[in-house]
Amino acid sequence: MKRGKRKACQLFLLAVCMLLLGAAMPVKAEEWTPPPTSGTCGADITWKYEPVMVEDRERNALVLTGSGAMTDEYLKKVTYEEGGTWHYNAEPPWMGQLLYGIKLDSRITTIGDGAFGHTHLCNPDHEGDFGEEDGTLVVPENVTSIGKLAFANARLGAVYIGPKVTKVGEQAF
């Protein structure tokens, strides 16, 4: 009986030592990469952050330069509901950023699906504690189409749409 207790005690101590040694072993952490600050968002459209001063602090404005249609790649299917309904989510690279201005090149003709989903456009004239006051977006005059969910879950104070827009996608706003 003593031998059985002794063996169980040894196994228990061995397990404890293995746990302690395992906890002390270095684990390779994944490298953190900062989010992108520029990229492409269409065949002939690029985007970047441009610094703007707001109440003596440097903030970001989003600038899209180029011509033609924005990409539709920012719209992702995320869940399926019984009965055949898909729920989509917009994931543009500037998602979740507090933006103090969005400048769209006048040569852009299409705002893509999900392009500004989950975007928070702050009013650069009044920052508040967390950019509480929503800003205004002016859609360029040459835009003819706004994709589905283009502004879904976006915080915008106002959107001015030019006279050439003839198509607005499902749940664009």
Side-chain angles (χ1 to χ4, degrees), residues 76-137:
K76 312 289 184 200
K77 284 184 184 179
V78 289
T79 57
Y80 179 76
E81 188 177 287
E82 274 190 51
T85 304
W86 283 98
H87 295 276
Y88 292 86
N89 193 28
E91 298 177 8
W94 44 82
M95 180 175 89
Q97 297 291 319
L98 294 178
L99 299 172
Y100 289 84
I102 297 176
K103 299 175 188 172
L104 302 174
D105 193 307
S106 64
R107 299 172 295 153
I108 293 174
T109 59
T110 300
I111 294 177
D113 294 348
F116 295 101
H118 300 284
T119 299
H120 186 166
L121 179 58
C122 302
N123 184 341
D125 297 326
H126 180 271
E127 181 177 15
D129 290 335
F130 296 101
E132 296 167 355
E133 192 171 314
D134 297 333
T136 299
L137 174 66

Side-chain angles (χ1 to χ4, degrees), residues 65-79:
T65 307
S67 62
M70 290 180 69
T71 183
D72 289 329
E73 72 182 38
Y74 302 132
L75 199 59
K76 312 289 184 200
K77 284 184 184 179
V78 289
T79 57

Side-chain angles (χ1 to χ4, degrees), residues 18 26 29 40 49 55 73 88 95 102 105 132 149 151 160 169:
M18 289 176 66
T40 60
Y49 293 128
E55 296 181 1
E73 72 182 38
Y88 292 86
M95 180 175 89
I102 297 176
D105 193 307
E132 296 167 355
L149 299 163
F151 297 96
Y160 292 99

